[in-house]
Amino acid sequence: MKEKVKVLLTETEVDARISDLGAQISKDYEGKEIHMICILKGGAFFACELAKRITVPVSIDFMYVSSYGNGTTSSGNVKIVKDLDEPLLDKEVLIAEDIIDSGRTLHHLIPLLYKRKPKSIRVCTLLSKPERREVEMEADYTGFTIPDEFVVGYGLDYAQKYRNLPYIGVVEQ
Ligand code: IMP
Ligand code: MG
């Protein structure tokens, strides 16, 4: 049976919020340069839209990580499937992530990245589901705080589908 997708956040709402985030980030990083790290695959759509709305210089690099563990719940270890191309030394790193759920991915990734001696690391996430948190992880910039529901669109997938939706939706069976 084909699942249905109910709109949670419209394209207009998401775009407006990304503009707000871009403006805030541009202000906070005035006089600096941002090295954006896009976490694939989900973060790609958000990272591009965000980067377009930032007015300080932005360089961008991509990383693909997967948390591996016992099936459905991640053990909290994170495996780098595709590493960054550029070094992070002395850079102002801004991680662009689609969603923070348990918090485990970033909780384990950030210390790994600090070993590469960036000047700073901040996190910008489009969505956050605080009710699902298993480890402490608060983003520096959060687009929307949402309830504990499985969402798709704007890079987020359900079995690799729906990443291309221009809005955030909830999957209904
Ligand atoms: P966590 O914060 O380590 O639990 O994992 C976050 C990752 O899980 C995200 O980057 C997504 O790839 C995936 N994820 C978590 N919640 C959802 C959701 O509601 N829809 C789609 N993917 C999700
Ligand atoms: Mg992800």
Coordinates of all heavy atoms in Angstrom, one line a residue, residues 39-43 67 74 97-107 127 129 132-134 137 146 149-153 155-158 163, ligand 1:
I39 N 26.0 17.3 6.0 CA 26.0 15.8 6.4 C 25.0 15.2 5.4 O 23.8 15.4 5.4 CB 25.5 15.6 7.8 CG1 26.3 16.4 8.8 CG2 25.5 14.1 8.2 CD1 27.7 16.0 9.0
L40 N 25.6 14.3 4.5 CA 24.8 13.6 3.5 C 24.0 12.5 4.1 O 24.4 12.0 5.1 CB 25.8 13.1 2.5 CG 26.6 14.1 1.7 CD1 27.7 13.4 0.8 CD2 25.7 14.9 0.8
K41 N 22.9 12.0 3.5 CA 22.4 12.7 2.3 C 21.4 13.8 2.7 O 21.2 14.7 2.0 CB 21.7 11.7 1.4 CG 22.5 10.5 1.0 CD 21.6 9.5 0.2 CE 22.4 8.2 -0.2 NZ 21.5 7.2 -0.7
G42 N 20.8 13.5 3.8 CA 19.6 14.4 4.2 C 19.9 15.9 4.3 O 19.1 16.7 4.0
G43 N 21.1 16.2 4.7 CA 21.4 17.6 5.0 C 21.7 18.4 3.7 O 21.8 19.6 3.7
S67 N 25.4 5.8 11.6 CA 25.6 5.3 13.0 C 25.3 3.8 12.9 O 24.4 3.4 12.2 CB 24.7 6.0 13.9 OG 23.5 6.3 13.3
S74 N 20.6 2.9 17.3 CA 22.1 3.1 17.0 C 22.8 2.9 18.3 O 22.4 3.4 19.4 CB 22.3 4.4 16.4 OG 22.1 5.4 17.3
E97 N 22.7 20.1 9.3 CA 22.1 18.8 9.4 C 20.6 18.9 9.2 O 20.0 19.9 9.4 CB 22.5 18.3 10.9 CG 22.0 17.0 11.3 CD 22.3 15.8 10.5 OE1 22.0 15.8 9.3 OE2 22.8 14.8 11.0
D98 N 20.0 17.8 8.7 CA 18.6 17.8 8.5 C 17.8 17.8 9.7 O 16.8 18.5 9.9 CB 18.2 16.7 7.5 CG 18.7 15.3 7.9 OD1 19.3 15.2 9.0 OD2 18.5 14.4 7.2
I99 N 18.2 16.9 10.6 CA 17.3 16.7 11.8 C 18.2 16.1 13.0 O 19.1 15.3 12.7 CB 16.1 15.8 11.5 CG1 15.1 15.7 12.7 CG2 16.6 14.3 11.2 CD1 13.8 15.1 12.3
I100 N 17.9 16.6 14.2 CA 18.5 15.9 15.3 C 17.5 15.1 16.0 O 16.4 15.7 16.4 CB 19.2 17.0 16.3 CG1 20.2 17.8 15.6 CG2 19.8 16.2 17.5 CD1 20.9 18.8 16.5
D101 N 17.7 13.8 16.1 CA 16.7 12.9 16.7 C 17.2 12.4 18.0 O 17.1 13.1 19.0 CB 16.6 11.8 15.6 CG 15.5 10.8 15.9 OD1 14.4 11.2 16.4 OD2 15.7 9.6 15.7
S102 N 17.9 11.3 18.1 CA 18.5 10.8 19.3 C 19.6 11.7 19.8 O 20.0 11.8 20.9 CB 19.0 9.4 19.2 OG 20.1 9.3 18.4
G103 N 20.2 12.3 18.8 CA 21.4 13.2 19.1 C 22.7 12.5 18.9 O 23.8 13.1 19.0
R104 N 22.6 11.1 18.7 CA 23.9 10.3 18.8 C 24.9 10.6 17.7 O 26.1 10.7 17.9 CB 23.5 8.8 18.8 CG 22.9 8.4 20.1 CD 22.7 6.9 20.1 NE 22.1 6.5 21.4 CZ 22.7 6.4 22.5 NH1 24.0 6.7 22.6 NH2 22.1 6.0 23.6
T105 N 24.3 10.9 16.5 CA 25.2 11.1 15.3 C 26.2 12.3 15.6 O 27.4 12.1 15.6 CB 24.4 11.3 14.0 OG1 23.5 10.3 13.8 CG2 25.4 11.5 12.8
L106 N 25.6 13.4 16.0 CA 26.4 14.6 16.2 C 27.2 14.5 17.5 O 28.3 15.0 17.5 CB 25.5 15.8 16.2 CG 25.0 16.3 14.8 CD1 24.0 17.4 15.0 CD2 26.1 16.6 13.9
H107 N 26.6 13.9 18.5 CA 27.3 13.7 19.7 C 28.7 13.0 19.6 O 29.6 13.2 20.2 CB 26.4 12.9 20.7 CG 27.0 12.6 22.0 ND1 26.9 13.6 23.0 CD2 27.6 11.6 22.6 CE1 27.5 13.1 24.1 NE2 28.0 11.9 23.8
L127 N 15.6 20.7 11.6 CA 14.6 20.2 12.5 C 15.2 19.6 13.8 O 16.3 19.1 13.8 CB 13.7 19.1 11.8 CG 13.1 19.5 10.5 CD1 12.5 18.2 9.9 CD2 12.0 20.6 10.7
K129 N 13.9 17.0 17.2 CA 12.9 16.3 17.9 C 13.4 16.1 19.4 O 13.9 15.0 19.7 CB 12.6 14.9 17.3 CG 11.9 15.0 15.9 CD 11.3 13.7 15.5 CE 12.2 12.9 14.7 NZ 11.6 11.8 14.0
R132 N 12.9 12.9 21.6 CA 13.6 11.6 21.2 C 15.1 11.6 21.7 O 15.8 10.6 21.5 CB 13.6 11.5 19.7 CG 12.2 11.4 19.1 CD 11.9 10.0 18.8 NE 12.9 9.4 17.9 CZ 13.0 8.1 17.7 NH1 12.2 7.2 18.3 NH2 14.0 7.6 17.0
R133 N 15.5 12.7 22.3 CA 16.9 12.8 22.7 C 17.4 11.7 23.6 O 16.7 11.4 24.6 CB 17.2 14.1 23.3 CG 18.6 14.7 22.9 CD 18.8 15.0 21.4 NE 18.6 16.4 21.1 CZ 17.6 16.9 20.3 NH1 16.8 16.0 19.7 NH2 17.5 18.1 20.0
E134 N 18.5 11.0 23.3 CA 19.1 10.0 24.2 C 20.4 10.5 24.8 O 20.9 10.0 25.8 CB 19.3 8.7 23.4 CG 18.1 8.0 23.0 CD 18.3 6.9 22.0 OE1 19.5 6.4 21.9 OE2 17.3 6.5 21.3
M137 N 22.4 17.0 23.2 CA 22.8 17.6 21.9 C 21.9 18.7 21.5 O 20.8 18.5 21.2 CB 22.8 16.5 20.8 CG 23.2 17.0 19.5 SD 24.6 18.1 19.4 CE 25.9 17.0 20.0
I146 N 10.1 20.0 16.4 CA 8.8 19.3 16.0 C 8.5 18.1 17.0 O 9.4 17.7 17.7 CB 9.0 18.7 14.6 CG1 10.1 17.8 14.5 CG2 9.1 19.9 13.6 CD1 10.1 16.9 13.2
E149 N 7.4 12.6 15.5 CA 6.7 12.0 14.4 C 7.8 11.8 13.3 O 8.7 12.6 13.2 CB 5.6 12.9 13.8 CG 4.4 12.9 14.7 CD 3.2 13.6 14.1 OE1 3.2 14.9 14.2 OE2 2.3 13.0 13.6
F150 N 7.6 10.8 12.5 CA 8.5 10.5 11.4 C 8.3 11.5 10.2 O 7.2 11.4 9.6 CB 8.5 9.1 10.9 CG 9.7 8.7 10.1 CD1 10.9 8.4 10.7 CD2 9.7 8.8 8.7 CE1 12.0 8.1 10.0 CE2 10.8 8.5 8.0 CZ 12.0 8.2 8.6
V151 N 9.2 12.3 9.9 CA 9.0 13.3 8.8 C 9.8 13.0 7.6 O 10.9 12.4 7.7 CB 9.3 14.7 9.4 CG1 8.2 15.2 10.4 CG2 10.7 14.8 10.0
V152 N 9.3 13.6 6.5 CA 10.0 13.4 5.2 C 10.0 14.8 4.5 O 9.3 15.7 4.9 CB 9.4 12.4 4.3 CG1 9.5 11.0 4.8 CG2 7.9 12.8 4.0
G153 N 10.8 14.9 3.4 CA 10.9 16.1 2.6 C 12.1 16.9 3.0 O 12.8 16.7 4.0
G155 N 15.0 16.8 2.0 CA 16.2 16.0 2.2 C 16.0 14.8 3.0 O 16.7 13.8 3.0
L156 N 14.9 14.8 3.8 CA 14.6 13.6 4.7 C 13.8 12.6 3.9 O 12.9 12.9 3.2 CB 13.8 14.1 5.9 CG 14.5 15.0 6.9 CD1 13.6 16.0 7.5 CD2 15.2 14.1 7.9
D157 N 14.2 11.3 4.2 CA 13.6 10.2 3.4 C 12.8 9.2 4.2 O 13.0 9.1 5.4 CB 14.7 9.5 2.6 CG 15.5 8.6 3.6 OD1 16.1 9.1 4.5 OD2 15.5 7.4 3.4
Y158 N 12.0 8.5 3.5 CA 11.4 7.3 4.0 C 11.7 6.2 3.0 O 11.3 6.3 1.9 CB 9.9 7.5 4.2 CG 9.1 6.2 4.5 CD1 9.2 5.7 5.8 CD2 8.3 5.6 3.6 CE1 8.6 4.5 6.2 CE2 7.6 4.4 3.9 CZ 7.8 3.9 5.2 OH 7.1 2.7 5.5
R163 N 12.8 12.7 -0.5 CA 13.8 13.7 -0.2 C 13.5 15.0 -1.0 O 13.8 16.1 -0.5 CB 15.2 13.2 -0.6 CG 15.7 12.1 0.3 CD 17.2 11.9 0.0 NE 17.7 10.6 0.5 CZ 18.1 10.4 1.7 NH1 18.0 11.3 2.6 NH2 18.6 9.2 2.1
Ligands
IMP1 P1 20.3 10.9 15.5 O1 20.1 12.3 15.9 O2 21.7 10.4 15.6 O3 19.3 10.0 16.1 O4 20.1 10.8 13.9 C1 19.7 11.7 13.1 C2 19.5 11.1 11.7 O5 18.5 10.1 11.7 C3 19.1 12.2 10.8 O6 20.2 12.8 10.2 C4 18.2 11.4 9.8 O7 19.0 10.9 8.7 C5 17.6 10.3 10.6 N1 16.2 10.7 11.0 C6 15.9 10.9 12.3 N2 14.5 11.2 12.4 C7 14.1 11.2 11.1 C8 12.8 11.4 10.5 O8 11.8 11.7 11.2 N3 12.7 11.3 9.2 C9 13.8 10.9 8.4 N4 15.0 10.7 8.9 C10 15.2 10.8 10.3

